[in-house]
Amino acid sequence: MCATGLATDPTVRTPLPVLGQNVTVPLVTGGEVAYAALDHAASAPALQRVWDDVAAYAPYYGSVHRGAGYLSQLSTELFENSRRTVGEFLGCRPGDQVVFTRSTTDSLNLLARALPRDCRVFVFETEHHASLLPWGDSRVTCLDAPRTPAEAVGTLERALADREPHGPALVCVTGASNVTGELWPVRELASAAHAHGARIVLDAAQLAPHHPVDVAELDVDWVALSGHKLYAPFGAGVLAGRADWLRVAEPYLAGGGASRSVSRRRDGGVDVVWHDTAARHEAGSPNVIGAYALASACRALTEAGFDALVAREEELVDRLREGLAEVPEVRVLSLFGDGAPRVGVLSFVVDGWNSSHFAAALSAEYGIGVRDGLFCAHPLVRTLLGEAPRTPGECGAPAAARPGERSLNAVRVSFGAGTPDEHIDRFVRAVKELVRDGAHWTYRTEDGRCVPDRG
C-alpha cells in the first residue's frame, strides 16, 4: 500500500518533499515569512511520501495479530511487512530481531533491561543522554572525549583490555554526534569491541537520516534509531540486532502480546510462557501507524538513493561552514577538527551573545527555527565549551540566560533531505546581520529562556 513514488536519478540533487514547506510564521518586526525548519536533529518534518502512505492506510486501520476480520488481517500483514522493510533498510542479518519501540531512548532502555546481570557497559562522555543514562551507574565506565577517531578506538581498546572481571561487556556509541554532526569510526570501534569479547550497540538516531546504516557491514550487534528523526514523526523507534540476549531477557513490558500462554496455578499464582520473538518486548497494542510510517520513510530514502542525498547534504554543509567562517565572532564546535566529515548538524557559539538570545532572535526576526542549550549531551557540550563539569540540569538553556552574557550553552543548526538551499543561505545571512547589527527587538528572560519582549 504505497501512495506515491520518488525519482531515483542519482544526478538529481533537489530536496525531498516534506510537510511544512509552505508554512509561514509572523515576525516581531512585522509581516510573515516562510518558516525555515533547521532543527532536524531534534525532530525532522514528515516526508510527504510518509504522510501520503499513512493517509492511504488510515481507513483500513485495525487491530493486529489474532484478529479474524479483514482489516485486522490487513493491518497485521502491513505491520509485519514494515518490520521486514526496516530490517532490510538496516542490513540486518538472518536471525536478527527487529523490535518496534517508541524511540532511540526507549530502544536503549529496552536493551539495558536485557543485559546479563554482570555485563559492563562502556560509553564515551560524548554520548547523548539516551546512550549515557539507561545502563545504571554501577555498571558503566564513562570514557573521556577523544580528539581524533583513532584516539577513540585506542581509548576503547585499553578500557576493554583492562576491565575486571573479564566478563560480558557492551559498548554503546553514536554514529553521528547530535552536537557536532561528526561521524564516528563505527566499524573500527566494532572491531575493537569484538576483539576484546564485547558487543556493541550503535545509536543511529542522527546517522540513519543522513547516511546508509548496514548492521552487517558495520559489524555491530544492535542498532537503535527513532522515526521522528527519520522523517516519520509518528511515535515509533527500532531496536534491531542479535536475538540471543533479547530472547531470554524478561519482557520489557509485561502484558498482552508478549505472552504465548498464561495459566493459573492451584496456589493462586500465574504461570506465563513468553514469546521468544520480537513480540516478547512489544506488549500491548502496537503502534501500527508508527511502524508503517517508519517503513515508508525507509523505502523513500532507499528509492531516492543515499548517494544523491549524501552528495547534496555535503554541498549544504560546505556552504554553511564557508558562510560561518566569514564571521570571526562565530566559533563552530568540533571534537575531531574542522576537516572532519559530518552530517547536517552543526553547533556554534557567538562572541558577545548568549545562545538563547541568539536563537530567539533568529526565530522572532527571521523565521528560522534552530535549537539552543546543551542538547541532552551535557558532558560533551561542556567539554567543547571548556567548562568545568557541573551538576546537569534539564535540557535547554540554563536559568541564568540573559542577553549579552557569555554563552554557557550553544546554538545548533541541523537540516536534512528536505531542506531547501535557500534556508541555509537565509540562515547564514541572518547570522551575519545579527552579529553586525545586533537584534532589532528587545528580549527578556522567561522561565530561563530569552523571548521577545512584547510589552
Side-chain angles (χ1 to χ4, degrees):
M1 184 177 296
C2 178
T4 59
L6 291 173
T8 58
D9 183 351
T11 65
V12 177
R13 296 183 182 177
T14 57
L16 297 186
V18 296
L19 298 186
Q21 294 289 43
N22 298 321
V23 170
T24 60
V25 294
L27 304 180
V28 292
T29 50
E32 293 187 341
V33 67
Y35 184 62
L38 297 179
D39 192 17
H40 282 49
S43 284
L47 283 170
Q48 184 67 52
R49 157 72 173 274
V50 172
W51 183 261
D52 291 344
D53 282 354
V54 167
Y57 162 63
Y60 300 92
Y61 172 78
S63 64
V64 304
H65 300 143
R66 297 172 303 283
Y70 178 81
L71 297 191
S72 178
Q73 294 181 38
L74 185 149
S75 294
T76 298
E77 182 181 8
L78 179 141
F79 183 67
E80 294 303 334
N81 283 342
S82 296
R83 195 190 306 277
R84 285 188 284 274
T85 296
V86 172
E88 291 168 0
F89 178 78
L90 294 174
C92 289
R93 301 151 297 216
D96 281 348
Q97 285 189 355
V98 175
V99 182
F100 284 118
T101 66
R102 294 178 297 176
S103 61
T104 306
T105 300
D106 198 36
S107 296
L108 294 175
N109 275 271
L110 189 164
L111 183 60
R113 290 275 297 273
L115 299 184
R117 189 178 301 274
D118 57 344
C119 184
R120 297 291 304 172
V121 180
F122 294 82
V123 296
F124 289 92
E125 67 169 346
T126 48
E127 292 293 312
H128 187 280
H129 293 172
S131 302
L132 277 175
L133 302 183
W135 318 106
D137 287 344
S138 62
R139 61 168 52 174
V140 168
T141 299
C142 191
L143 307 175
D144 292 340
R147 289 296 179 171
T148 66
E151 183 182 337
V153 177
T155 296
L156 179 63
E157 287 180 328
R158 289 188 294 273
L160 290 173
D162 293 342
R163 76 184 189 273
E164 292 290 345
H166 203 78
L170 177 72
V171 177
C172 182
V173 66
T174 187
S177 170
N178 79 303
V179 176
T180 68
E182 292 166 313
L183 296 172
W184 276 63
V186 175
R187 187 180 292 103
E188 292 80 359
L189 290 168
S191 178
H194 293 152
H196 290 276
R199 298 187 181 188
I200 185 168
V201 56
L202 169 64
D203 175 351
Q206 300 297 338
L207 182 62
H210 305 274
H211 282 257
V213 174
D214 190 302
V215 169
E217 182 182 346
L218 293 172
D219 197 23
V220 296
D221 297 280
W222 293 277
V223 61
L225 57 81
S226 296
H228 72 98
K229 299 183 192 297
L230 197 70
Y231 312 104
F234 292 87
V238 167
L239 176 68
R242 294 183 61 157
D244 52 354
W245 287 0
L246 299 177
R247 188 177 288 129
V248 299
E250 286 296 308
Y252 184 48
L253 296 172
S259 57
R260 179 178 294 151
S261 68
V262 179
S263 57
R264 183 180 177 185
R265 298 196 304 266
R266 289 185 176 181
D267 63 4
V270 175
D271 286 327
V272 184
V273 177
W274 303 106
H275 283 295
D276 59 7
T277 63
R280 185 185 189 93
H281 300 290
E282 294 177 344
S285 295
N287 181 1
V288 182
I289 287 180
Y292 183 50
L294 184 51
S296 173
C298 292
R299 287 192 297 270
L301 293 173
T302 300
E303 292 169 12
F306 267 109
D307 287 346
L309 296 175
V310 170
R312 179 174 181 272
E313 183 172 289
E314 288 176 346
E315 292 175 355
L316 293 182
V317 169
D318 289 344
R319 184 181 303 191
L320 173 63
R321 296 179 67 179
E322 289 168 4
L324 293 181
E326 296 172 359
V327 187
E329 294 84 353
V330 170
R331 176 166 72 93
V332 174
L333 304 183
S334 175
L335 269 177
F336 300 152
D338 290 342
R342 69 176 77 208
V343 299
V345 179
L346 183 147
S347 298
F348 62 95
V349 293
V350 185
D351 291 345
W353 282 82
N354 170 273
S355 293
S356 180
H357 185 199
F358 201 84
L362 284 170
S363 176
E365 300 178 29
Y366 296 91
I368 298 172
V370 297
R371 182 156 294 228
D372 67 279
L374 301 175
F375 317 124
C376 292
H378 295 179
L380 171 56
V381 178
R382 288 173 177 148
T383 293
L384 295 172
L385 294 177
E387 294 182 36
R390 299 183 298 170
T391 301
E394 295 186 7
C395 299
R402 289 188 293 273
E405 290 183 343
R406 184 179 73 85
S407 185
L408 298 176
N409 47 33
V411 178
R412 183 180 69 190
V413 54
S414 53
F415 51 92
T419 302
D421 296 18
E422 186 274 332
H423 287 186
I424 301 300
D425 296 337
R426 176 153 45 115
F427 171 79
V428 171
R429 287 196 304 272
V431 169
K432 292 178 178 179
E433 289 179 12
L434 284 172
V435 171
R436 183 188 67 226
D437 303 330
H440 294 90
W441 202 261
T442 57
Y443 296 79
R444 60 184 173 83
T445 300
E446 182 178 290
D447 296 329
R449 298 193 58 79
C450 292
V451 298
D453 189 347
R454 301 180 187 272

